[in-house]
Amino acid sequence: MTMGEKLALLRKKKGLTQEELSEQLDVSRQSVSRWEMDVSFPETEKLIKLSKIFACSIDFLLNEAVTAEEEKTEGAWTARDCYSFIRKCGYFFLATSVNGRPRLRPFGMIYEKEDALFIATETRIMKMARFMSLPMAFPIK
């Protein structure tokens, strides 16, 4: 897959138009179009910004031999990956530090949505319920 094909795929996957991407990169829409058609290449500065926008390596963008699957295995975990790992392993404790001393707190809730992982301790959930004066959605033992 060429750099232009990867760029178009990543842009569409993120739900961006060429115009929106061009505004983020401070270039014309025609520049983005030329990159996607492999007529020209972005400058190094723009490649760095593209890799941050699409959360991928510059190597992935430029190297036709690197596939999306290979990039995923080398890159950081997604929120879904983290959620699955925690659930499978049964690690339901959050390591914290109080006055320089390590402390483990049991998770009260773990939740994954899109690109975010939400973790709350039982104490935090109880405080939130008291603050909002709402009954607890689930019992805390």
Side-chain angles (χ1 to χ4, degrees), residues 122-137 140:
E122 291 178 359
T123 304
R124 182 77 56 183
I125 293 168
M126 288 186 291
K127 285 180 183 177
M128 184 67 144
R130 277 196 300 267
F131 175 74
M132 308 231 5
S133 299
L134 298 173
M136 297 296 288
I140 305 261

mmCIF file of all heavy atoms in Angstrom, residues 122-137 140:
data_model
loop_
_atom_site.group_PDB
_atom_site.id
_atom_site.type_symbol
_atom_site.label_atom_id
_atom_site.label_comp_id
_atom_site.label_asym_id
_atom_site.label_seq_id
_atom_site.Cartn_x
_atom_site.Cartn_y
_atom_site.Cartn_z
ATOM 1 N N GLU A 122 -13.550 2.173 44.082
ATOM 2 C CA GLU A 122 -14.796 2.123 44.858
ATOM 3 C C GLU A 122 -15.002 3.420 45.625
ATOM 4 O O GLU A 122 -16.099 3.952 45.687
ATOM 5 C CB GLU A 122 -14.769 0.939 45.817
ATOM 6 C CG GLU A 122 -14.836 -0.386 45.108
ATOM 7 C CD GLU A 122 -14.752 -1.560 46.065
ATOM 8 O OE1 GLU A 122 -14.617 -1.349 47.285
ATOM 9 O OE2 GLU A 122 -14.823 -2.693 45.585
ATOM 10 N N THR A 123 -13.925 3.949 46.186
ATOM 11 C CA THR A 123 -14.021 5.187 46.960
ATOM 12 C C THR A 123 -14.517 6.329 46.080
ATOM 13 O O THR A 123 -15.398 7.088 46.469
ATOM 14 C CB THR A 123 -12.642 5.549 47.553
ATOM 15 O OG1 THR A 123 -12.183 4.456 48.325
ATOM 16 C CG2 THR A 123 -12.718 6.803 48.399
ATOM 17 N N ARG A 124 -13.970 6.446 44.881
ATOM 18 C CA ARG A 124 -14.357 7.517 43.959
ATOM 19 C C ARG A 124 -15.822 7.384 43.564
ATOM 20 O O ARG A 124 -16.548 8.364 43.508
ATOM 21 C CB ARG A 124 -13.456 7.468 42.726
ATOM 22 C CG ARG A 124 -13.692 8.525 41.706
ATOM 23 C CD ARG A 124 -13.120 9.847 42.092
ATOM 24 N NE ARG A 124 -11.704 9.696 42.349
ATOM 25 C CZ ARG A 124 -10.930 10.665 42.768
ATOM 26 N NH1 ARG A 124 -11.409 11.852 42.963
ATOM 27 N NH2 ARG A 124 -9.668 10.465 43.000
ATOM 28 N N ILE A 125 -16.278 6.166 43.328
ATOM 29 C CA ILE A 125 -17.670 5.940 42.936
ATOM 30 C C ILE A 125 -18.607 6.324 44.071
ATOM 31 O O ILE A 125 -19.622 6.976 43.864
ATOM 32 C CB ILE A 125 -17.890 4.480 42.500
ATOM 33 C CG1 ILE A 125 -17.112 4.201 41.206
ATOM 34 C CG2 ILE A 125 -19.369 4.180 42.294
ATOM 35 C CD1 ILE A 125 -17.037 2.734 40.855
ATOM 36 N N MET A 126 -18.257 5.938 45.314
ATOM 37 C CA MET A 126 -19.110 6.270 46.460
ATOM 38 C C MET A 126 -19.173 7.779 46.673
ATOM 39 O O MET A 126 -20.231 8.329 46.940
ATOM 40 C CB MET A 126 -18.601 5.563 47.718
ATOM 41 C CG MET A 126 -18.875 4.061 47.692
ATOM 42 S SD MET A 126 -18.447 3.228 49.238
ATOM 43 C CE MET A 126 -16.678 3.335 49.247
ATOM 44 N N LYS A 127 -18.035 8.466 46.561
ATOM 45 C CA LYS A 127 -18.019 9.917 46.728
ATOM 46 C C LYS A 127 -18.870 10.596 45.661
ATOM 47 O O LYS A 127 -19.596 11.536 45.942
ATOM 48 C CB LYS A 127 -16.586 10.440 46.672
ATOM 49 C CG LYS A 127 -15.799 10.162 47.920
ATOM 50 C CD LYS A 127 -14.400 10.709 47.814
ATOM 51 C CE LYS A 127 -13.611 10.354 49.068
ATOM 52 N NZ LYS A 127 -12.221 10.804 48.978
ATOM 53 N N MET A 128 -18.778 10.116 44.438
ATOM 54 C CA MET A 128 -19.559 10.687 43.343
ATOM 55 C C MET A 128 -21.051 10.485 43.588
ATOM 56 O O MET A 128 -21.852 11.388 43.376
ATOM 57 C CB MET A 128 -19.147 10.053 42.013
ATOM 58 C CG MET A 128 -19.842 10.644 40.829
ATOM 59 S SD MET A 128 -19.315 12.330 40.624
ATOM 60 C CE MET A 128 -19.294 12.429 38.882
ATOM 61 N N ALA A 129 -21.434 9.303 44.063
ATOM 62 C CA ALA A 129 -22.848 9.021 44.332
ATOM 63 C C ALA A 129 -23.368 9.924 45.448
ATOM 64 O O ALA A 129 -24.475 10.453 45.357
ATOM 65 C CB ALA A 129 -23.033 7.556 44.703
ATOM 66 N N ARG A 130 -22.562 10.108 46.497
ATOM 67 C CA ARG A 130 -22.976 11.006 47.588
ATOM 68 C C ARG A 130 -23.091 12.445 47.092
ATOM 69 O O ARG A 130 -24.023 13.159 47.411
ATOM 70 C CB ARG A 130 -21.987 10.928 48.742
ATOM 71 C CG ARG A 130 -22.246 9.761 49.663
ATOM 72 C CD ARG A 130 -21.514 9.916 50.986
ATOM 73 N NE ARG A 130 -20.075 10.009 50.834
ATOM 74 C CZ ARG A 130 -19.243 8.968 50.895
ATOM 75 N NH1 ARG A 130 -19.719 7.759 51.099
ATOM 76 N NH2 ARG A 130 -17.955 9.128 50.756
ATOM 77 N N PHE A 131 -22.141 12.870 46.301
ATOM 78 C CA PHE A 131 -22.139 14.236 45.773
ATOM 79 C C PHE A 131 -23.377 14.497 44.918
ATOM 80 O O PHE A 131 -23.996 15.528 44.999
ATOM 81 C CB PHE A 131 -20.865 14.470 44.952
ATOM 82 C CG PHE A 131 -20.822 15.800 44.274
ATOM 83 C CD1 PHE A 131 -20.581 16.954 44.998
ATOM 84 C CD2 PHE A 131 -21.033 15.894 42.907
ATOM 85 C CE1 PHE A 131 -20.535 18.185 44.368
ATOM 86 C CE2 PHE A 131 -20.993 17.115 42.269
ATOM 87 C CZ PHE A 131 -20.743 18.271 43.010
ATOM 88 N N MET A 132 -23.727 13.514 44.106
ATOM 89 C CA MET A 132 -24.852 13.674 43.191
ATOM 90 C C MET A 132 -26.168 13.293 43.861
ATOM 91 O O MET A 132 -27.224 13.420 43.272
ATOM 92 C CB MET A 132 -24.638 12.840 41.930
ATOM 93 C CG MET A 132 -23.306 13.104 41.300
ATOM 94 S SD MET A 132 -23.168 13.494 39.590
ATOM 95 C CE MET A 132 -24.696 13.660 38.882
ATOM 96 N N SER A 133 -26.105 12.796 45.110
ATOM 97 C CA SER A 133 -27.289 12.360 45.857
ATOM 98 C C SER A 133 -28.111 11.353 45.065
ATOM 99 O O SER A 133 -29.332 11.419 45.009
ATOM 100 C CB SER A 133 -28.157 13.562 46.239
ATOM 101 O OG SER A 133 -27.436 14.438 47.047
ATOM 102 N N LEU A 134 -27.421 10.440 44.429
ATOM 103 C CA LEU A 134 -28.082 9.398 43.647
ATOM 104 C C LEU A 134 -27.838 8.051 44.312
ATOM 105 O O LEU A 134 -26.787 7.849 44.922
ATOM 106 C CB LEU A 134 -27.518 9.361 42.227
ATOM 107 C CG LEU A 134 -27.702 10.624 41.395
ATOM 108 C CD1 LEU A 134 -26.951 10.483 40.089
ATOM 109 C CD2 LEU A 134 -29.171 10.875 41.131
ATOM 110 N N PRO A 135 -28.780 7.129 44.178
ATOM 111 C CA PRO A 135 -28.531 5.786 44.704
ATOM 112 C C PRO A 135 -27.445 5.102 43.880
ATOM 113 O O PRO A 135 -27.266 5.409 42.710
ATOM 114 C CB PRO A 135 -29.879 5.081 44.525
ATOM 115 C CG PRO A 135 -30.595 5.849 43.478
ATOM 116 C CD PRO A 135 -30.083 7.261 43.558
ATOM 117 N N MET A 136 -26.722 4.229 44.529
ATOM 118 C CA MET A 136 -25.669 3.490 43.827
ATOM 119 C C MET A 136 -26.283 2.592 42.764
ATOM 120 O O MET A 136 -27.274 1.924 43.009
ATOM 121 C CB MET A 136 -24.872 2.639 44.812
ATOM 122 C CG MET A 136 -24.123 3.423 45.868
ATOM 123 S SD MET A 136 -22.849 4.477 45.180
ATOM 124 C CE MET A 136 -21.676 3.248 44.697
ATOM 125 N N ALA A 137 -25.678 2.590 41.603
ATOM 126 C CA ALA A 137 -26.166 1.764 40.493
ATOM 127 C C ALA A 137 -25.857 0.299 40.742
ATOM 128 O O ALA A 137 -26.535 -0.568 40.226
ATOM 129 C CB ALA A 137 -25.548 2.223 39.196
ATOM 130 N N ILE A 140 -21.523 -1.922 46.393
ATOM 131 C CA ILE A 140 -20.096 -1.985 46.662
ATOM 132 C C ILE A 140 -19.923 -2.742 47.967
ATOM 133 O O ILE A 140 -20.513 -2.388 48.976
ATOM 134 C CB ILE A 140 -19.506 -0.560 46.804
ATOM 135 C CG1 ILE A 140 -19.815 0.288 45.605
ATOM 136 C CG2 ILE A 140 -18.046 -0.625 47.143
ATOM 137 C CD1 ILE A 140 -18.742 0.424 44.592
#
